[in-house]
Amino acid sequence: MDSIHVGRACPLGPRGVPSGIRKDLVEGPVPLTRTGFAGDEQGDRQHHGGPDKAVHHYPRDHYAAWIGQIGDSPLLQSSGAFGENISTMGLTEADIAIGDRFALGSAIVEVSQGRQPCFRLNLRFELPDIALEMQRSGRTGWYYRVVQQGTVRPGDMLQLIDRLTPSWTIARLHRILYLDPLNREELRAMTALAHLPQRWRSIAEHRLQKGAIEDWSRRLEGS
């Protein structure tokens, strides 16, 4: 693991939207609880944080692609630009699957879901559509739930200890949600993935029932 980041909720953008997306580098040991790292906050607890989104992991591997796409933003000069808690090199959405368990310091974490980007990214980068571009690209990162609380230090190894459903990669979920969104076979399989949060399984259930895709505009644009 390259770095750990935590941040307090503070106003973001011209309307002062509460957000914890601005995070600071952690230089020493930090407790990891069921709801995340000590000192980390979310501005909107209805849609951010909670046990299934306790820790956000974003690959530093993607930064070069972002620089190529949006230019050499000062935010991209160091990790933490996307509000991630954990930054690494060498792991991406194609490698990580729902239910993967890792030892991290004295804690154990489990991959719970991908990230559904929201308009706070637009405010953070002062760009109108970076949330949509993250969604399109699949460069979203992923979240962990905390199976065992503990203490984590910068530089601790993220050690894989179990894979509950290795075929259910974050990249596969992205493909179902955004690239092949009405594939009924995949949607039915998604509803049966017990350790995927109920909110995500409900998305699949709704599409199966309605034959339609949910509206993403409020999440992506803040409207």
Side-chain angles (χ1 to χ4, degrees):
M1 180 178 59
D2 296 333
S3 59
I4 303 171
H5 305 262
V6 302
R8 299 288 185 183
C10 60
L12 178 70
R15 292 185 288 129
V17 176
S19 175
I21 197 170
R22 295 179 181 138
K23 299 192 185 301
D24 298 317
L25 188 68
V26 172
E27 297 183 352
V30 58
L32 179 57
T33 73
R34 301 285 183 188
T35 54
F37 285 110
D40 199 45
E41 295 181 348
Q42 295 79 38
D44 176 5
R45 293 304 301 271
Q46 181 180 355
H47 299 103
H48 300 91
D52 286 323
K53 293 189 283 187
V55 177
H56 182 245
H57 184 156
Y58 197 77
R60 187 71 188 270
D61 311 62
H62 295 328
Y63 276 50
W66 283 116
I67 290 171
Q69 187 169 350
I70 68 172
D72 200 6
S73 166
L75 293 176
L76 297 174
Q77 297 307 304
S78 59
S79 55
F82 297 92
E84 62 265 35
N85 297 115
I86 292 176
S87 175
T88 62
M89 289 288 289
L91 291 172
T92 71
E93 293 79 4
D95 308 307
I96 295 296
I98 299 299
D100 284 359
R101 287 191 173 187
F102 293 88
L104 180 60
S106 60
I108 296 175
V109 296
E110 178 183 292
V111 177
S112 55
Q113 64 181 73
R115 178 179 183 171
Q116 290 186 291
C118 83
F119 69 95
R120 286 170 173 79
L121 279 167
N122 304 339
L123 299 177
R124 165 81 163 151
F125 281 84
E126 298 182 353
L127 293 170
D129 58 359
I130 193 168
L132 177 59
E133 290 303 319
M134 177 182 278
Q135 178 170 294
R136 284 174 172 165
S137 70
R139 300 191 299 263
T140 62
W142 55 89
Y143 286 101
Y144 298 103
R145 58 175 64 97
V146 178
V147 176
Q148 175 181 298
Q149 301 181 119
T151 300
V152 184
R153 292 169 173 79
D156 280 347
M157 294 292 292
L158 195 65
Q159 297 178 309
L160 182 66
I161 57 176
D162 199 5
R163 306 202 82 189
L164 303 183
T165 47
S167 67
W168 276 97
T169 63
I170 299 300
R172 179 181 177 182
L173 277 173
H174 175 263
R175 185 169 61 252
I176 297 169
L177 284 175
Y178 305 118
L179 305 181
D180 192 12
L182 295 177
N183 183 319
R184 297 186 67 82
E185 181 178 353
E186 285 285 74
L187 290 171
R188 281 193 292 267
M190 187 173 160
T191 66
L193 190 59
H195 43 283
L196 186 68
Q198 180 58 50
R199 189 177 67 82
W200 280 57
R201 286 182 279 139
S202 295
I203 292 172
E205 291 165 0
H206 179 271
R207 292 183 186 182
L208 286 168
Q209 292 169 3
K210 304 294 185 181
I213 303 164
E214 63 281 1
D215 184 4
W216 302 327
S217 59
R218 184 172 183 180
R219 170 171 57 82
L220 293 171
E221 303 167 11
S223 56

